[in-house]
Structure formats: structure tokens, C-alpha cells
Amino acid sequence: MTKKLIALDTDGTLLDPNGKILESSKKVIKKALDHGIKVVLCSGRPIDGLKDYLAELGITGSAQYVITLNGAIIRNTDDDIISENLVPNSFYRRMTAFGMANKIPFNIVDADSRIITADHNVDPLIYIQAFENNAPLYIRNPDQLPEDNIRIAKGCFVGKPELLDQWEKQIRKEFGKELYVVRADPHFLELLNSEVNKGYALKQLCQRLNIMPENVIAIGDEKNDISMFDFAGTAICMKNGNPEAKEAANYVTAANNDDGIAKALKKFVFND
């Protein structure tokens, strides 16, 4: 079946362990674009954390697309918003209170890529989060953020894997009936609009482009990629991926430092 769209996760998939795109990935993605195949980055990152990679790959213009913030916002690569599903502003107060009471580092990411936390003792992982996404970091408690002046894309509980392992069940119990709670990677537990996930955003985009699931290939490595695996006709997990993601995929390719994307696309798109 001809592939018309390739959905690519970024961290752990497109990016190698040093945060770089392999030359083999650049070459095969250029080949896909030259053949008229859409290549869509589907990431937990905000748009400012993806712009440099989009430019590096040559994914540009109003006819190319990017899914950001785990599906909360779909844009074309001219930065026009196609759709967005945000978190009600009242949750900033609730999530902040939960994080402060239980000593779990917490922040929100707004629709403009800003990272906001109420904790003056900023956890180092939040600094890294801001740096990796070219995002400004603000320290603001809920009373300093009037509800009509903020557009929340997602909330992030951040910490060492053992801390999030300890609290994940309770966070799901506290917020899971109202929000989509997903472990984006060992260090991030994220809360989004209840209608949001990568798979739903990919479905929305494909409906807009009149592309059927069987014409879609999705490549990822983590639990937050499983929803797009469920939608795509061909679902591929990286060898370095989470065991649950591997189980949900149709195929496991090589690792993100071993030409995994190039090997997968050569096999399933170009039949090399």
C-alpha cells in the first residue's frame, strides 16, 4: 500500500542520544519529501522546540504540517494553527497545588511555547526542558496569571523516574477523569485536554488531507506514541523504545543511534 504520510516522533526517535538528526535520517526524509510524501513531526515539544529541526529537514511551507504538545496543537509549518485543544485554565491552580503539596516539580506549557512554574526553587529538569525547547521560563503563581490571559497546552509533572513512579497512580486518580494523563518519558508525566493525544491529532490531520490510515506510517519510541500506532496502518517502534510501545507496534526497527528511521522507511516506504 502506498504511503502518503510519515508521522515521526522526535525525542528518542528522530533525534539520537545527543539530540542530533542522523545523516541517514535526513537523506531518507528528503527522499520522501521529494516523492510528495508528507513528513509530520508528532512531538510532545512546543513549536519553538521543533522549528530548527523542521528547517534542517526542509519541512517548510503551508502544505506541510507539525503536531505539537502531544497533539494539543496542529500547525502548518508557516506557523498557522490548524486546530487546538487546550486545558481549562482553572487546572493550573489545581495542578500547582498538588505539585507543591507533594513536592513534585510541576510546570505548564502554554500555546506560545512558554514554560511557567510557580516553584521558585526550579528543578534542574525544568531548566533543561526550557533550554531544549528554546522556551522562555517564567516563575508565576496562579494569582499572577489571570485566567483570561493564559492558554494552557499541557501540564507537566517532572522528576526522577522513581519519583514519578511513586506518584503516577495518584496523579491519574486525581486528574484522570477530566484530563488525558500520559507518561511521555521516564522523567515527564503530562496532563492534556481529555480529547488530546498524538493519535487523535494525526487522525484529524489525515481527515483534513483525505489520507486513509492504511497510507500512514508512524514511528515512535514511548507510551505517548501508542495512540498514533493505533491509528496508523503501519506502526514502528525504535529498538531503544519503551516495552509497551514495542508491544503496540507492528515492527521494531533499529535504535535511534543506528539508522533506525532510515532502515524503517527503506523497508516500508521505498521497499529497498
Side-chain angles (χ1 to χ4, degrees), residues 232-245:
T234 304
I236 298 174
C237 188
M238 309 299 289
K239 186 176 180 180
N240 53 282
N242 177 279
E244 290 185 35

Side-chain angles (χ1 to χ4, degrees), residues 87-97 142 145-148 150 152 175 178-179:
V87 176
N89 292 346
S90 58
F91 279 99
Y92 182 47
R93 188 176 300 276
R94 284 180 54 191
M95 291 186 285
T96 294
L145 292 172
E147 291 196 6
D148 57 353
I150 184 170
I152 302 172
F175 298 102
E178 300 163 283
L179 299 173

Side-chain angles (χ1 to χ4, degrees), residues 176-238:
K177 291 182 180 179
E178 300 163 283
L179 299 173
Y180 170 55
V181 181
V182 64
R183 190 75 173 263
D185 76 16
H187 299 90
F188 287 87
L189 184 64
E190 301 188 353
L191 298 89
L192 301 105
N193 184 293
S194 61
E195 295 185 355
V196 164
N197 59 55
K198 288 187 180 184
Y200 180 67
L202 187 56
K203 178 181 179 180
Q204 285 184 298
L205 179 59
C206 287
Q207 288 175 339
R208 178 184 179 91
L209 299 175
N210 197 28
I211 295 175
M212 301 300 292
E214 55 264 32
N215 300 123
V216 176
I217 181 170
I219 309 179
D221 74 304
E222 267 294 346
K223 293 180 183 179
N224 61 332
D225 297 316
I226 292 174
S227 62
M228 68 175 185
F229 288 177
D230 292 341
F231 172 78
T234 304
I236 298 174
C237 188
M238 309 299 289

Side-chain angles (χ1 to χ4, degrees), residues 7-255:
L8 282 177
D9 172 54
T10 50
D11 296 275
T13 301
L14 175 66
L15 304 182
D16 72 10
N18 297 313
K20 305 296 184 182
I21 303 175
L22 299 181
E23 288 300 321
S24 62
S25 298
K26 294 179 190 178
K27 184 176 179 180
V28 76
I29 289 170
K30 182 180 186 303
K31 183 176 180 180
L33 292 169
D34 288 346
H35 280 73
I37 300 170
K38 303 289 187 189
V39 179
V40 180
L41 300 192
C42 298
S43 179
R45 291 178 179 239
I47 188 61
D48 285 355
L50 296 173
K51 286 180 176 177
D52 288 346
Y53 300 125
L54 292 166
E56 187 175 355
L57 293 169
I59 303 173
T60 60
S62 61
Q64 299 292 343
Y65 301 88
V66 56
I67 292 172
T68 65
L69 297 156
N70 278 320
I73 300 178
I74 305 171
R75 302 172 184 261
N76 67 26
T77 50
D78 277 347
D79 216 17
D80 301 314
I81 292 178
I82 305 303
S83 72
E84 63 180 13
N85 290 289
L86 304 180
V87 176
N89 292 346
S90 58
F91 279 99
Y92 182 47
R93 188 176 300 276
R94 284 180 54 191
M95 291 186 285
T96 294
F98 187 95
M100 298 290 278
N102 296 296
K103 296 182 172 56
I104 311 168
F106 173 77
N107 67 81
I108 57 172
V109 182
D110 77 359
D112 298 312
S113 300
R114 296 178 297 183
I115 294 174
I116 304 167
T117 180
D119 191 350
H120 286 256
N121 184 23
V122 180
D123 188 271
L125 279 170
I126 295 178
Y127 281 119
I128 293 170
Q129 180 186 359
F131 175 77
E132 289 183 342
N133 289 291
N134 298 315
L137 175 62
Y138 295 88
I139 300 174
R140 301 286 190 274
N141 66 49
D143 291 335
Q144 294 173 301
L145 292 172
E147 291 196 6
D148 57 353
N149 287 344
I150 184 170
R151 298 167 62 236
I152 302 172
K154 66 178 181 179
C156 303
F157 288 102
V158 181
K160 295 180 179 179
E162 54 268 29
L163 176 67
L164 297 185
D165 289 345
Q166 175 187 348
W167 284 100
E168 182 172 351
K169 184 176 180 180
Q170 185 60 35
I171 291 170
R172 290 183 181 278
K173 182 178 179 181
E174 180 74 19
F175 298 102
K177 291 182 180 179
E178 300 163 283
L179 299 173
Y180 170 55
V181 181
V182 64
R183 190 75 173 263
D185 76 16
H187 299 90
F188 287 87
L189 184 64
E190 301 188 353
L191 298 89
L192 301 105
N193 184 293
S194 61
E195 295 185 355
V196 164
N197 59 55
K198 288 187 180 184
Y200 180 67
L202 187 56
K203 178 181 179 180
Q204 285 184 298
L205 179 59
C206 287
Q207 288 175 339
R208 178 184 179 91
L209 299 175
N210 197 28
I211 295 175
M212 301 300 292
E214 55 264 32
N215 300 123
V216 176
I217 181 170
I219 309 179
D221 74 304
E222 267 294 346
K223 293 180 183 179
N224 61 332
D225 297 316
I226 292 174
S227 62
M228 68 175 185
F229 288 177
D230 292 341
F231 172 78
T234 304
I236 298 174
C237 188
M238 309 299 289
K239 186 176 180 180
N240 53 282
N242 177 279
E244 290 185 35
K246 289 180 181 178
E247 183 67 24
N250 305 125
Y251 179 79
V252 177
T253 189

